Amino acid sequence: AATDEKEHLLDKVKELEESSQERESDLQTTVDKLRSELHDCKKQLELETQQMSVTLSEIEKKSEDKFRTMHETFAASVHEKEDFIAKLQTEIEQKQDSIDTLRAATDEKERLIHQISLLAVDLGNVVDEKEKLVEEFT
C-alpha cells in the first residue's frame, strides 16, 4: 500500500512536471509571439513616424510656398497701387499746371480787355474832340 501510494505520488509529480513543462513551453511561445508583435509594432511606429515626418515637411513646404505666393501677390499689389498713386499724382500735377496756365491766360485776357476798354474810352474822347473841332471850324 505504501508502495502504491509512493508510485501514485511519483506519477503525480511526473504529471505535474510534464504539465509544468507544457505550461512553460506555452508561456515561452506566448512570450516569443508577444516579442515578435512588439518588434513589428516598433517597426510600424518607426515607419509611421517617418511618414508623419515626411507629411509634416510637405505641409510645412506647402505652407511656406503658399505664404511666399501670398506675400509676393501682396507686394505686387502694393507696388501696383503705389504706381497707380504715382500716376494719379502726376496727372493731378499736370491738370493743376493746365489750370494755372488757363488762369494766367484768363488774367491776361482780362488785362487786355481792360486796356481795350481804356483805349476805347480814349478813342471815344478823341472822336468827341475831333467832332468838336470839326464843329468849331465849320
Side-chain angles (χ1 to χ4, degrees), residues 7-25:
E7 278 184 36
H8 179 67
L9 286 175
L10 285 174
D11 285 342
K12 271 284 193 201
V13 167
K14 193 175 180 182
E15 279 179 34
L16 286 174
E17 281 180 358
E18 286 175 2
S19 174
S20 177
Q21 286 176 353
E22 283 179 23
R23 180 124 170 91
E24 186 179 328
S25 176

Side-chain angles (χ1 to χ4, degrees), residues 1-128:
T3 316
D4 285 342
E5 195 169 319
K6 189 176 179 182
E7 278 184 36
H8 179 67
L9 286 175
L10 285 174
D11 285 342
K12 271 284 193 201
V13 167
K14 193 175 180 182
E15 279 179 34
L16 286 174
E17 281 180 358
E18 286 175 2
S19 174
S20 177
Q21 286 176 353
E22 283 179 23
R23 180 124 170 91
E24 186 179 328
S25 176
D26 288 346
L27 287 174
Q28 187 60 47
T29 302
T30 303
V31 166
D32 290 345
K33 186 177 176 184
L34 288 174
R35 281 188 179 151
S36 176
E37 286 179 14
L38 178 62
H39 179 73
D40 291 346
C41 285
K42 282 182 179 179
K43 283 193 174 228
Q44 183 66 29
L45 179 62
E46 287 176 13
L47 180 64
E48 288 177 4
T49 302
Q50 288 173 352
Q51 289 173 342
M52 199 177 281
S53 178
V54 167
T55 301
L56 184 59
S57 293
E58 289 172 354
I59 290 171
E60 286 175 348
K61 181 161 179 18
K62 285 179 183 177
S63 294
E64 287 172 6
D65 289 347
K66 192 176 234 179
F67 177 75
R68 188 180 313 93
T69 301
M70 288 173 55
H71 184 271
E72 289 169 358
T73 301
F74 176 74
S77 176
V78 168
H79 183 69
E80 287 173 9
K81 287 178 180 160
E82 288 172 343
D83 287 349
F84 180 73
I85 289 170
K87 181 181 172 189
L88 282 178
Q89 187 65 35
T90 301
E91 287 180 18
I92 288 170
E93 290 170 1
Q94 289 173 345
K95 293 199 185 310
Q96 187 62 48
D97 289 346
S98 295
I99 289 170
D100 292 346
T101 301
L102 286 173
R103 282 187 181 151
T106 301
D107 290 347
E108 181 62 18
K109 283 181 186 176
E110 287 178 1
R111 190 185 65 75
L112 289 173
I113 289 171
H114 182 70
Q115 282 184 342
I116 289 171
S117 296
L118 291 177
L119 287 174
V121 169
D122 286 346
L123 184 61
N125 289 341
V126 168
V127 168
D128 288 347

